[in-house]
Amino acid sequence: MFLNKSMIKTLQQIEIQKQGGIILGKGLSAVMAAAKPGVSTLALDDIFVTTVRSLGGEPAFLGYKGYPKSICTSINDEVVHGIPGKRRLKEGDLFSLDGGLRYKGLCTDMARTMGIGKISASAQKLLSVTQTALALGVAVAKAGNTIGDIGFAIKNYVEKNGFSVVRSLVGHGIGTEVHEEPQVPNFGKKGQGKTLTAGMVLAIEPMVNIGQFQVNFSQDGWTITTKDGTLSAHFEDTIAITKKDPQILTKLAL
Ligand code: MF3
Ligand code: CO
């Protein structure tokens, strides 16, 4: 059978990803509602799995390249890919969660960062800058613009605010696989890179550090931390390029 591995998805495929994106958003929303001091990241992983399975979805990260859990839980200086376990959230933590979902054979990918209880003013600023950076990247994800336009919009805004974007991890196309072509870096030059066309579905995901952009890859083979120990935040949405405005497929909803 012919499998459509093309970067261009059909309207039917995008409609399925939109339905999946709603299930994923419900899964992440349930995790966010439960993310309180004293809760273990493993308990949050369970909440995600239970929620999305009850809605007909399947966690896409579970078993992906050997990944052992269904969400990534990255705290404070952890950038991404923290593995849920016994660690419990505590007051003042900066908590990033990232989830992937497979629904009717197609994937969506989404991440949010939140404060646990009261967080510092600098952590609060990091949250808002990273969320706005994602919004600015999405805003230029239009047919006729390029991949470089997305990265430029993100990096330019982040650096104007005195923070840095992680270079060694990038956004990506997404469809039958979690990671597909093209790569979507959070840095770039206006007008450079592949031209965006209607039907591309992209996961745009700025990872922003308060300090330097360099990261460490930890012993567990997954967790990525900032090299200088400063806080990091991560926001990600799956979007479809259309002939008009970009369509955000992943939505938070309880
Ligand atoms: N959202 C993550 C990314 O795009 C996917 C992590 S897959 C996992 O890099 F299996 F490693 F969790
Ligand atoms: Co991703």
Side-chain angles (χ1 to χ4, degrees):
M1 196 183 97
F2 177 71
L3 286 174
N4 182 8
K5 290 243 179 200
S6 152
M7 285 194 283
I8 306 306
K9 273 78 186 174
T10 64
L11 288 176
Q12 289 84 344
Q13 287 173 313
I14 291 171
E15 180 56 33
I16 289 170
Q17 284 176 296
K18 184 178 167 193
Q19 290 166 10
I22 290 166
I23 297 171
L24 176 54
K26 289 187 176 186
L28 287 197
S29 296
V31 171
M32 291 175 81
K36 302 248 161 69
V39 177
S40 75
T41 51
L42 192 58
L44 296 176
D45 192 86
D46 282 342
I47 287 169
F48 178 79
V49 173
T50 307
T51 305
V52 300
R53 287 206 175 127
S54 77
L55 298 167
E58 207 31 55
F61 293 173
L62 185 61
Y64 179 78
K65 294 185 180 164
Y67 188 72
K69 292 286 181 265
S70 295
I71 56 174
C72 301
T73 51
S74 309
I75 302 169
N76 297 331
D77 64 324
E78 296 174 350
V79 179
V80 285
H81 300 172
I83 305 172
K86 284 193 212 128
R87 183 169 177 182
R88 291 173 189 278
L89 297 176
K90 58 180 196 332
E91 177 79 21
D93 277 345
L94 191 65
F95 174 55
S96 299
L97 67 152
D98 186 353
L101 188 94
R102 186 179 292 278
Y103 179 69
K104 297 188 177 172
L106 291 166
C107 299
T108 44
D109 192 355
M110 181 181 199
R112 290 291 182 272
T113 300
M114 62 185 283
I116 303 301
K118 196 169 158 44
I119 56 172
S120 66
S122 56
Q124 196 65 59
K125 183 184 171 194
L126 178 66
L127 279 185
S128 78
V129 167
T130 310
Q131 185 153 31
T132 301
L134 171 59
L136 293 172
V138 170
V140 295
K142 291 184 177 185
N145 285 352
T146 69
I147 292 283
D149 290 331
I150 299 174
F152 177 82
I154 290 170
K155 179 169 177 281
N156 185 46
Y157 178 75
V158 167
E159 293 186 349
K160 262 192 198 158
N161 280 281
F163 299 148
S164 63
V165 294
V166 172
R167 314 282 201 271
S168 52
L169 297 139
V170 297
H172 48 91
I174 181 165
T176 56
E177 314 290 333
V178 173
H179 292 142
E180 295 183 356
E181 292 295 315
Q183 292 198 353
V184 186
N186 297 300
F187 52 90
K189 293 209 168 78
K190 275 187 191 174
Q192 291 199 350
K194 204 177 286 300
T195 298
L196 303 171
T197 53
M200 284 182 173
V201 176
L202 305 176
I204 301 180
E205 51 178 318
M207 287 149 270
V208 176
N209 301 345
I210 283 188
Q212 303 300 306
F213 71 82
Q214 287 88 353
V215 295
N216 283 331
F217 293 77
S218 86
Q219 302 264 1
D220 66 18
W222 286 102
T223 312
I224 291 164
T225 55
T226 58
K227 196 158 242 169
D228 62 10
T230 58
L231 296 175
S232 188
H234 180 209
F235 281 80
E236 175 176 27
D237 276 316
T238 299
I239 63 128
I241 311 291
T242 73
K243 287 183 180 139
K244 296 178 185 160
D245 284 336
Q247 188 185 8
I248 300 173
L249 303 176
T250 41
K251 302 251 194 233
L252 289 180
L254 276 174

